[in-house]
Amino acid sequence: MSIFGRMCLLGNRVLAKRNLEICAKYISNNTINEALWNKFCITTNESTTCDPYFMANNITEIQGIPGVASGVLLDNLWSAYSQKGSIIERNQTSSVAGEGQKTYSQHYVLTDIMTYFTMLVGIYFPSVTGIMAGSNRSGDLKDAQKSIPFGTILAIATTSFIYLSCVVLFGACIEGALLRDKFGEAVSGQLVIGTLAWPSPWVIVIGSFFSTCGAGLQSLTGAPRLLQAIARDGIVPFLQVFGHGKANGEPTWALLLTAGICEIGILIASLDSVAPILSMFFLMCYMFVNLACALQTLLRTPNWRPRFKYYHWTLSFVGMSLCLALMFICSWYYALVAMLIAGCIYKYIEYRGAEKEWGDGIRGLSLNAARYALLRVEHGATHTKNWRPQILVLVNLDSEQNVKHPRLLSLTTQLKAGKGLTIVGSVLQGTFLDKHVEAQKGEENIKALMTTEKTKGFCQLVVSPSVRDGISHLIQSAGLGAMKHNTVLMAWPHSWKQPTDPYSWKTFVDTVRDATSAQQALLVAKNIDSFPTSQERFADGNIDIWWIVHDGGMLMLLPFLLRQHKVWRKCRMRIFTVAQMDDNSIQMKKDLQMFLYHLRLDAEVEVVEMFENDISAFTYEKTLMMEQRSQMLKQMQLSKNEREREAQIIHDRNTASHSTVAAKSSAAPEKIQMTWTKEKLIAEKHKVKDLNAAGYRDIFNMKP
């Protein structure tokens, strides 16, 4: 100890012992130490110029490794970070203040990197990354479920004790200035830990060599097998080539790739540069392992059955949080790059990877979130502002189980600017026992067409003894909870006048009735095969709306949604409404324009004047009477129950009167026609017009 490990200080600065055998300014009898003076003084023919700091401070020699009894541990408890290129100083030694000249700084011991806590954590962390060694070689263990927990815990306990005891003992035995001397320049380049070793410093050299080789071989045996397992499972498709190996199972190709990656790290030739990168990927690996364990426990996945009885999900969550925090503590930009790489790999696996028997943890989380969201939406009625068309598309299949009218899905995609629910339903006539193969094929064809048309939604195919019952079942039961359809979209029947089957139209009529009974909107697309595909673009054109029956704004909403799609974006909206010859068409147009203004819709308005006998009696009654009835009940200021009872009475009276008139007209149509003269007909028209003219105009005065 007296020979090795002695440090030379100038003031409180550590000197580098290069060609410096005697640590003193003067040897004896005022004889100068030329080796030292030549470092800090420049002699010319006339004079000698020395470094002011050198002249003002004394040279002292101290023991770099004073031992445990020296109490140096208390001095080393506190941090002493420094900038790159700064001189290492011993704070316990007094010195005369002075900067000195930068010309002489090369004779001191300098720091080669900037030191701070996060950087030191990144350098130290790779030394404790062997925790997954047992898991990486689980295929070679006889009983992996028993050996991995037992061996891993013992390994962590042993290495943690050794590492922590080494840190404490180094801090208790070695001067802090010498600990910060990375290359041992203060002790003539000696290996500091080798000075402490017994019986020879070569023990540390040989031990470090074999330890490094052992760690390298451990990585070269564990990493290739892990890579081979990933490649064989087909998790990452482009790695499948590394799944091949020798007949005895040795991963030849994976070993070559691992060796190449290791060689890149060696060629970097800087442990301080490689260590933070390694720390990022190790921390990310451990973070995802902890995240997977915590998620599997919280989601209560049936196949997650850990044998370790002391496990709790909070431990995994704390471990994940610590790993994430350490990533950003060590290097935030490396952490962001590592997370970006991991995200790209995950999205690639999601896009190209094959589904495996262990499933997907993120999918389980999505299912749990969907269940929670559905339960939340179930409570409470949907507000008008949140209303959007949730469409049930009814498609027909041909004998090959292909969709007859693919343009229905094109129209659905173009209507989905509302981002609502889409269910593509179809009915296969027969029994499920006989038709299950055809049903599976038809469902696959529908899903393939949905992918082609970029229709985001679900497919539901029903096998029923009759098409009419199957459609009724779809209208009643399609969807889940609050995520049910409110609109039915179907094509106009093609051959509804078949002479062989005079009742072929009945299915269509019954579908209309079922949709009405379910209080759902019904969209019928006529000549659907002439509709544009999603790839077409209209440079110009009009979307015409014939607004005859006030339907609450549905007819206004559909063209608005269509114009959100690229196909219809450049088309204009035109709204046509019907008036009688004697009505004030100009005022009606202004009222309707104001109505559209309040709805924030941009459209042209046209009022078409028609004779009264050209207007459907049902349309006329439906438009006027419903609005008058609602306005009258509102003005009466009745309670909700009273309004409902009064409305039901009025409805029953109107229904009875219409039934009576219809029965009489069907029983004796010729007789009724004979009692009417032209004069009576004209008088009756003027009578009805005078009674209902005010109510007709009130339609457009109502606020939306």
Side-chain angles (χ1 to χ4, degrees), residues 295-319:
L295 278 181
Q296 297 287 348
T297 307
L298 291 174
L299 296 177
R300 305 194 179 193
T301 308
N303 64 349
W304 171 248
R305 299 181 292 272
R307 287 186 179 274
F308 190 63
K309 60 181 179 180
Y310 300 108
Y311 167 77
H312 195 266
W313 68 268
T314 53
L315 296 175
S316 297
F317 185 79
V318 170

Side-chain angles (χ1 to χ4, degrees), residues 483-694:
M483 290 297 291
K484 292 181 68 68
H485 61 279
N486 53 28
T487 305
V488 178
L489 173 62
M490 62 186 301
W492 182 266
H494 255 295
S495 51
W496 60 278
K497 277 191 175 181
Q498 290 182 359
T500 55
D501 187 6
Y503 296 100
S504 60
W505 48 267
K506 188 169 175 52
T507 301
F508 174 75
V509 175
D510 289 337
T511 303
V512 174
R513 290 173 174 171
D514 289 338
T516 306
S517 301
Q519 296 183 344
Q520 296 172 2
L522 178 65
L523 306 179
V524 181
K526 195 170 184 180
N527 297 325
I528 184 62
D529 294 329
S530 302
F531 275 57
T533 63
S534 298
Q535 287 72 36
E536 296 182 32
R537 301 289 184 269
F538 287 137
D540 192 13
N542 298 313
I543 303 176
D544 294 344
I545 303 104
W546 284 85
W547 199 47
I548 300 176
V549 178
H550 186 68
D551 59 349
M554 181 72 175
L555 277 175
M556 305 294 184
L557 180 63
L558 293 178
F560 171 77
L561 295 179
L562 283 176
R563 290 186 64 200
Q564 306 306 306
H565 197 270
K566 295 178 181 179
V567 176
W568 307 86
R569 187 163 295 168
K570 296 183 179 180
C571 296
R572 296 181 301 274
M573 285 176 57
R574 295 193 306 183
I575 297 179
F576 294 87
T577 188
V578 177
Q580 298 180 37
M581 297 299 295
D582 299 334
D583 287 330
N584 189 346
S585 302
I586 298 176
Q587 185 61 38
M588 289 178 64
K589 183 174 182 178
K590 289 181 179 179
D591 294 339
L592 186 54
Q593 286 174 339
M594 183 59 64
F595 180 71
L596 294 176
Y597 174 77
H598 287 303
L599 290 178
R600 299 180 299 280
L601 292 176
D602 185 17
E604 300 176 11
V605 177
E606 297 290 341
V607 178
V608 180
E609 295 182 345
M610 301 177 66
F611 290 101
E612 185 179 0
N613 54 0
D614 293 331
I615 303 175
S616 167
F618 171 78
T619 302
Y620 188 74
E621 191 275 338
K622 183 76 173 179
T623 305
L624 300 183
M625 297 304 296
M626 291 297 292
E627 297 297 341
Q628 290 177 357
R629 190 180 304 156
S630 301
Q631 192 130 341
M632 180 187 69
L633 293 176
K634 188 182 298 183
Q635 291 171 357
M636 290 172 67
Q637 296 181 350
L638 301 177
S639 65
K640 182 178 179 182
N641 293 333
E642 291 172 339
R643 285 200 304 267
E644 291 178 353
R645 185 171 62 252
E646 197 68 29
Q648 186 63 38
I649 292 172
I650 296 172
H651 175 72
D652 294 341
R653 289 176 180 173
N654 289 334
T655 305
S657 62
H658 280 297
S659 301
T660 305
V661 171
K664 291 181 179 179
S665 61
S666 60
E670 295 82 8
K671 183 178 179 181
I672 292 175
Q673 187 173 1
M674 288 172 62
T675 59
W676 282 90
T677 63
K678 185 176 180 180
E679 291 76 16
K680 287 185 178 181
L681 179 61
I682 295 173
E684 189 66 28
K685 282 184 179 181
H686 286 293
K687 180 181 177 181
V688 174
K689 181 179 66 177
D690 294 335
L691 288 174
N692 296 323

